[in-house]
Amino acid sequence: LQTMSGNEHDWLALKPQEPSPSQCCGSGCKPCIYDVYEKELAQWERAKAKQDKSLLMEKKEQSSNSELNPDTFTAFSISSVEQLTEDTYQYKFELPGNSSLRLSSGQHLVLRGVVNGLEVQRAYTPISPGNAEGYFEVLMKCYEAGLMSQYIKTWKKGDVVFWRGPFGGFPYRPNQHGELLMLASGTGLAPMLPLLHSITGDEEDETFVTLVGCFRTFHSIYLKPLLQDLARYWNIRIFYVLSQETSVEKLPWSYRENTYTGRLDEDLMKTIVNSCRRKPFALICGSSTFNEDMNRYLKAAGIEENSCFVF
């Protein structure tokens, strides 16, 4: 058996690692981590054929500047950690200078974490306005058994974490739709917030918005002060559907009129759709079962599939 030459050994050490399934966040990113791997592998093969290691350098340089990039992970530092509910946190990340991510509405980023030596990637949507300067904020729910959650729970102010993106998003133009009906379950609220900031921040945008936030209990509603502020705009209405509350009598006065108990079902969907001021275009974000249910209820309420977008 011929032994590998030192040179061969060096090249093997430089060969990019094929991603494991846990590294793919499953959100259909372009490029996906597998696309990035294919590109790096081709680059490695070219360099090896020419025996020229300097051809591998281009990807290293990219990640040192703190510009967000879909192909390479960039380091961002955590400037604050705030616990919102027992399992949900809001993290603020610093952007160098007064730069902005300039995200379009509802675009998500992919986070890379390493847990017990296993690399994991998940998609999250920043909740800060797309043009926020010097920072961006992300809402994250931690699950008991979640791999990424174990990593996120260790974060503290000053830690550095790695993001790439942006991906996806909902192509929005002001006044493009008469009314947006936003159906959000839990952290599914995230992609709706930059869109709400954009509509309320633009005096020319007269789109009506009906946001329906589905949570378990009154205490599990995130970002209440922000939502209450948004609901003061003439064109924004916010309803809450609380699956584990039995009566609205216990809630603060300001919430009683616009809160429903139980689940968002077909009947309630019809009521909400009929109360819309114009024919709504629906935006949906939640678990896959929530998304499927909402699609079904919307259809029953007369909203066609071409008038829906699922994040």
Side-chain angles (χ1 to χ4, degrees):
L1 197 84
Q2 75 180 80
T3 52
M4 207 186 295
S5 71
N7 187 28
E8 279 286 299
H9 208 277
D10 289 353
W11 278 104
L12 266 183
L14 292 168
K15 186 175 180 177
Q17 292 281 306
E18 179 164 8
S20 65
S22 73
Q23 289 174 262
C24 176
C25 70
S27 302
C29 308
K30 298 252 183 303
C32 166
I33 178 139
Y34 286 102
D35 302 332
V36 174
Y37 165 70
E38 295 293 327
K39 192 173 133 189
E40 289 180 356
L41 188 62
Q43 189 184 348
W44 176 80
E45 283 166 350
R46 277 197 309 273
K48 185 171 183 286
K50 294 188 174 159
Q51 291 290 307
D52 179 358
K53 288 181 185 153
S54 71
L55 295 173
L56 294 173
M57 291 318 292
E58 54 187 278
K59 73 164 196 268
K60 299 283 181 284
E61 285 159 27
Q62 264 179 339
S63 53
S64 60
N65 64 11
S66 38
E67 286 282 306
L68 189 65
N69 179 320
D71 300 299
T72 33
F73 280 96
T74 302
F76 293 95
S77 157
I78 299 174
S79 56
S80 73
V81 176
E82 193 184 341
Q83 184 164 3
L84 300 181
T85 64
E86 56 180 347
D87 58 1
T88 308
Y89 298 80
Q90 183 174 341
Y91 295 94
K92 193 171 190 173
F93 297 88
E94 248 169 72
L95 290 174
N98 243 3
S99 60
S100 159
L101 289 183
R102 293 188 293 281
L103 299 182
S104 63
S105 53
Q107 283 191 308
H108 66 265
L109 309 179
V110 171
L111 169 69
R112 179 176 71 191
V114 177
V115 186
N116 310 331
L118 184 68
E119 186 177 296
V120 199
Q121 300 194 13
R122 293 282 180 276
Y124 295 94
T125 307
I127 57 171
S128 37
N131 57 358
E133 293 180 354
Y135 75 97
F136 66 97
E137 287 172 315
V138 183
L139 183 65
M140 293 175 157
K141 186 182 170 97
C142 289
Y143 298 90
E144 270 312 299
L147 271 178
M148 187 61 99
S149 300
Q150 292 170 36
Y151 168 59
I152 291 170
K153 277 180 192 159
T154 66
W155 288 358
K156 46 195 190 311
K157 188 180 168 174
D159 284 355
V160 167
V161 301
F162 289 85
W163 293 96
R164 70 185 178 99
F167 303 105
F170 167 63
Y172 177 75
R173 291 192 316 280
N175 301 310
Q176 177 183 2
H177 302 288
E179 180 151 0
L180 290 174
L181 172 57
M182 300 178 169
L183 306 169
S185 169
T187 47
L189 191 61
M192 311 300 181
L193 292 172
L195 196 48
L196 282 160
H197 289 309
S198 145
I199 292 170
T200 54
D202 178 357
E203 285 183 7
E204 308 285 304
D205 195 342
E206 299 191 346
T207 308
F208 281 120
V209 178
T210 296
L211 168 65
V212 183
C214 301
F215 296 92
R216 288 196 303 273
T217 61
F218 180 71
H219 288 293
S220 62
I221 300 175
Y222 317 125
L223 307 168
K224 290 191 188 79
L226 170 64
L227 293 171
Q228 291 289 73
D229 280 347
L230 287 166
R232 292 196 182 99
Y233 284 87
W234 65 274
N235 50 342
I236 312 283
R237 292 189 308 173
I238 300 182
F239 292 117
Y240 300 97
V241 181
L242 307 176
S243 59
Q244 289 173 19
E245 296 282 1
T246 44
S247 127
V248 294
E249 300 308 309
K250 302 194 216 55
L251 305 185
W253 280 107
S254 57
Y255 284 88
R256 291 185 196 178
E257 259 180 44
N258 55 346
T259 300
Y260 298 93
T261 57
R263 293 198 167 276
L264 176 48
D265 56 15
E266 195 174 305
D267 289 341
L268 181 51
M269 181 70 85
K270 283 182 178 157
T271 305
I272 290 171
V273 167
N274 291 335
S275 76
C276 286
R277 294 140 294 186
R278 298 176 181 147
K279 190 166 166 46
F281 183 95
L283 299 175
I284 307 170
C285 189
S287 65
S288 48
T289 32
F290 176 83
N291 297 348
E292 284 161 25
D293 290 346
M294 294 308 113
N295 261 321
R296 221 174 41 250
Y297 303 156
L298 283 165
K299 198 176 263 176
I303 304 295
E304 298 87 27
E305 261 175 53
N306 59 4
S307 297
C308 295
F309 180 89
V310 178
F311 282 102

